[in-house]
């Protein structure tokens, strides 16, 4: 049970369904929000109440912080859960919620501010004794960037300080390319994030993307829930994630998880968060960023630890301590998450909006499907193309993959192109099964297939 009575779920799709269920399990009512396009959506029907927040484009609805806050007030909610994406990492929104006398189910606005600026986050990591990729502070001019790159060492990545989710990153091989890329990168950052500040990081060849799930409360308790490997990605967008990270040595696992907890403690963090690292082939690891929200791939961590991450978020938001200590948390088996998107892998992953005519979900031991859809719903062109998340757990990695292959053979979606056929190939790929793979592996595989 939680001290929260009525929670506004400021999101849509599968994560809205996930949060509504967690609220009900905790004895709290849940209020959904919806745009014109989502009036009859599944999460709207599951909620105890629902509020219209605007037109179909996200900027006119789910990103309209005033409309979302008004919905919470009119519905007499005492808390707002932002989910992921949209307003989840907006310090302004978090501050507005608390100023209005409501509880923001997430970290403090100051922590979001601190970790939202990637250059500041790097400095914080250094102060916490967490290794970082060699890089620079903010760079404004081409000459300044070229001097910094000479010190850092090519190849480098030009990164937006306010970026996130793999966006706002451009690779650069030499000084001439840097001169051409920097102005465009700054303009892109201003357009996407409202902040044109950029900095440089040395590129780490053949790196793995490993992230650590942390939880913390307001009473000084901070724990990790071990790590996930998110290296199977295209253009820095994840398609398949595993927990725990395959082939990671026990010593590195212990060190990277401890580093994540130090980072959380350094910023006085509370709620759920994820500390992300690059791991090189020698298992040197480097902090890259901290995501101050629940992650899309949180279910695989729940599968291997038995900890309900969203339930813990609600507990902490209600002023209660975490229900677990570090000594309570143990690794149990292996899990993977496959993102089923309405995209056409055979056509450069072009979005495929439209009506879902057939929607048959798999089942069986260790199989979980998170979705905000039912048969006959439409994939809207206005939002992310995620259809569902297929999560498969096994007593070991081999069993998890075996269950995933079986589940994918049962998964039927018609009416829109989707990534189920691609995942059938990936989960039988000998390189992936041997593991681990690096962040460029999938792109190279797809290039070889052309």
């Amino acid at each position: 049970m939680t001290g929260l009575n009525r929670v506004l779920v400021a999101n849509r799709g599968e994560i809205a369904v996930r949060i509504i269920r967690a609220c009900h399990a905790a004895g709290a009512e849940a209020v959904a929000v919806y745009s014109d396009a989502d009036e009859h959506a599944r999460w709207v029907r599951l909620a105890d109440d629902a509020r219209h927040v605007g037109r179909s484009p996200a900027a006119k609805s789910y990103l309209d912080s005033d409309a979302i806050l008004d919905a919470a007030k009119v519905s007499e909610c005492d808390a707002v859960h932002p989910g992921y994406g949209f307003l989840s990492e907006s310090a302004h929104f978090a501050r507005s919620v608390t100023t209005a006398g409501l509880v923001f189910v997430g970290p403090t606005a100051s922590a979001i501010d601190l970790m939202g600026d990637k250059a500041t986050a790097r400095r914080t990591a250094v102060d916490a004794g967490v290794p970082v990729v060699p890089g620079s502070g903010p760079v404004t001019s081409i000459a300044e960037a070229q001097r910094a790159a000479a010190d850092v060492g090519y190849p480098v990545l030009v990164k937006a300080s306010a970026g996130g989710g793999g966006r706002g990153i451009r690779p650069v091989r030499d000084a001439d390319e840097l001169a051409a890329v920097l102005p465009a990168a700054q303009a892109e950052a201003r357009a996407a994030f409202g902040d044109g500040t950029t900095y440089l990081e040395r590129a780490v060849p053949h790196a793995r993307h490993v992230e650590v799930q942390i939880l913390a409360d307001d009473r000084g308790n901070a724990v990790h829930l071990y790590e996930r490997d998110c290296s199977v990605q295209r253009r820095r967008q994840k398609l398949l994630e595993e927990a725990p990270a395959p082939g990671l040595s026990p010593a590195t696992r212990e060190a990277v998880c401890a580093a994540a907890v130090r980072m959380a403690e350094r910023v006085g963090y509370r709620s759920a968060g994820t500390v992300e690292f690059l791991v090189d082939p020698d298992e040197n690891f480097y902090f890259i960023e901290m995501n101050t929200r629940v992650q899309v791939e949180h279910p695989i961590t729940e599968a291997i630890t038995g900890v309900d991450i969203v339930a813990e978020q609600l507990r902490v938001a209600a002023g209660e301590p975490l229900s677990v200590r570090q000594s309570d948390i143990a690794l149990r088996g292996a899990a993977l998450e496959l993102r089923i998107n309405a995209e056409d892998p055979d056509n450069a992953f072009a979005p495929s909006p439209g009506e879902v005519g057939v929607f048959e979900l798999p089942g069986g031991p260790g199989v979980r499907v998170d979705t905000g859809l039912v048969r006959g719903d439409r994939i809207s062109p206005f939002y992310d193309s995620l259809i569902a998340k297929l999560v498969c757990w096994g007593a070991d990695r081999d069993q998890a993959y075996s269950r995933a292959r079986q589940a994918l053979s049962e998964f039927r979606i018609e009416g829109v192109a989707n990534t189920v056929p691609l995942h059938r190939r990936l989960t039988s790929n000998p390189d992936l099964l041997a593991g681990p793979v690096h962040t460029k592996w999938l792109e190279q595989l797809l290039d070889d297939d052309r």
Side-chain angles (χ1 to χ4, degrees):
M1 297 294 290
T2 174
L4 303 179
N5 297 311
R6 196 167 167 88
V7 179
L8 186 89
V9 182
N11 217 294
R12 66 179 303 278
E14 63 85 18
I15 192 62
V17 172
R18 170 76 179 91
I19 296 166
I20 289 166
R21 287 171 169 165
C23 289
H24 289 165
E29 293 185 342
V31 178
V33 295
Y34 63 92
S35 68
D36 288 348
D38 290 334
E39 182 178 2
H40 303 293
R42 184 185 184 201
W43 63 93
V44 175
R45 299 193 302 271
L46 287 175
D48 301 284
D49 192 5
R51 298 288 165 173
H52 178 252
V53 290
R55 292 160 51 193
S56 298
K60 302 294 185 181
S61 50
Y62 300 107
L63 285 170
D64 186 337
S65 58
D66 290 337
I68 297 290
L69 192 54
D70 285 346
K73 293 175 181 176
V74 169
S75 302
E76 299 183 335
C77 292
D78 51 10
V80 176
H81 195 309
Y84 58 71
F86 295 132
L87 296 169
S88 63
E89 292 183 285
S90 168
H92 169 74
F93 180 63
R95 199 169 282 116
S96 297
V97 170
T98 56
T99 299
L102 307 179
V103 176
F104 183 75
V105 184
T108 63
S110 59
I112 296 173
D113 267 333
L114 191 61
M115 292 295 99
D117 183 284
K118 301 303 183 283
T120 302
R122 279 175 55 87
R123 292 194 296 271
T124 304
V126 171
D127 292 343
V130 176
V132 299
V133 179
S136 73
V139 293
T140 55
S141 69
I142 291 173
E144 182 183 16
Q146 288 174 330
R147 288 193 298 271
D151 290 336
V152 171
Y154 290 100
V156 298
L157 301 175
V158 180
K159 304 185 76 171
S161 285
R167 297 177 300 164
I169 303 173
R170 294 197 177 198
V172 170
R173 292 168 294 185
D174 54 39
D176 290 341
E177 189 174 11
L178 180 57
V181 164
L182 184 67
Q186 291 170 329
E188 180 184 49
R190 280 192 295 272
F193 310 113
D195 181 351
T197 306
T198 55
Y199 67 101
L200 308 180
E201 275 187 1
R202 183 188 298 165
V204 180
H206 298 102
R208 301 169 63 183
H209 183 152
V210 174
E211 59 188 31
V212 178
Q213 176 72 61
I214 60 98
L215 290 170
D217 60 27
D218 286 319
R219 307 186 186 193
N221 304 315
V223 301
H224 68 77
L225 302 182
Y226 292 96
E227 84 289 350
R228 304 181 284 254
D229 190 305
C230 307
S231 300
V232 180
Q233 50 186 260
R234 174 185 172 272
R235 295 183 179 176
R236 300 186 177 87
Q237 298 302 306
K238 304 166 185 174
L239 270 78
L240 181 154
E241 301 100 350
E242 295 192 50
L248 201 65
S249 70
T252 301
R253 172 170 292 119
E254 182 179 353
V256 75
C257 290
V261 172
R262 289 201 304 276
M263 193 73 182
E265 291 173 338
R266 182 75 185 186
V267 300
Y269 199 80
R270 75 168 190 209
S271 194
T274 304
V275 186
E276 304 201 352
F277 299 89
L278 291 179
V279 180
D280 72 16
D282 295 323
E283 292 203 354
N284 300 304
F285 63 88
Y286 307 98
F287 168 82
I288 48 175
E289 66 178 355
M290 183 175 188
N291 289 311
T292 52
R293 53 177 166 78
V294 68
Q295 292 275 96
V296 178
E297 57 271 29
H298 76 274
I300 53 174
T301 294
E302 295 180 330
I304 64 164
T305 62
V307 177
D308 185 327
I309 292 170
V310 179
E312 294 299 322
Q313 285 189 294
L314 295 172
R315 285 181 60 90
V316 171
E320 300 173 14
L322 294 174
S323 70
V324 291
R325 299 281 183 161
Q326 195 65 64
S327 58
D328 301 322
I329 302 164
L331 280 174
R332 184 178 64 95
L336 61 154
E337 176 180 289
L338 312 176
R339 299 196 191 189
I340 312 301
N341 299 326
E343 299 172 336
D344 186 357
D346 295 326
N347 186 24
F349 288 81
S352 181
E355 183 176 318
V356 178
V358 172
F359 195 48
E360 295 180 4
L361 305 182
V367 175
R368 165 179 168 180
V369 180
D370 283 13
T371 183
L373 298 175
V374 296
R375 180 174 180 168
D377 282 352
R378 295 191 64 83
I379 304 295
S380 172
F382 297 105
Y383 315 114
D384 182 270
S385 63
L386 183 67
I387 297 173
K389 302 183 317 196
L390 173 60
V391 179
C392 298
W393 176 88
D396 55 29
R397 187 169 182 258
D398 287 344
Q399 187 180 55
Y401 268 88
S402 177
R403 286 176 169 174
R405 288 190 292 271
Q406 176 62 36
L408 288 164
S409 74
E410 299 175 17
F411 215 137
R412 288 190 63 213
I413 304 170
E414 294 181 9
V416 296
N418 60 83
T419 54
V420 167
L422 173 63
H423 282 302
R424 288 174 182 155
R425 290 173 48 211
L426 292 179
T427 52
S428 296
N429 183 280
D431 291 337
L432 183 58
L433 293 175
V437 297
H438 56 79
T439 56
K440 298 297 182 183
W441 174 80
L442 179 58
E443 291 178 351
Q444 293 170 0
L445 178 71
L446 296 173
D447 285 343
D448 289 344
D449 288 345
R450 292 194 181 99

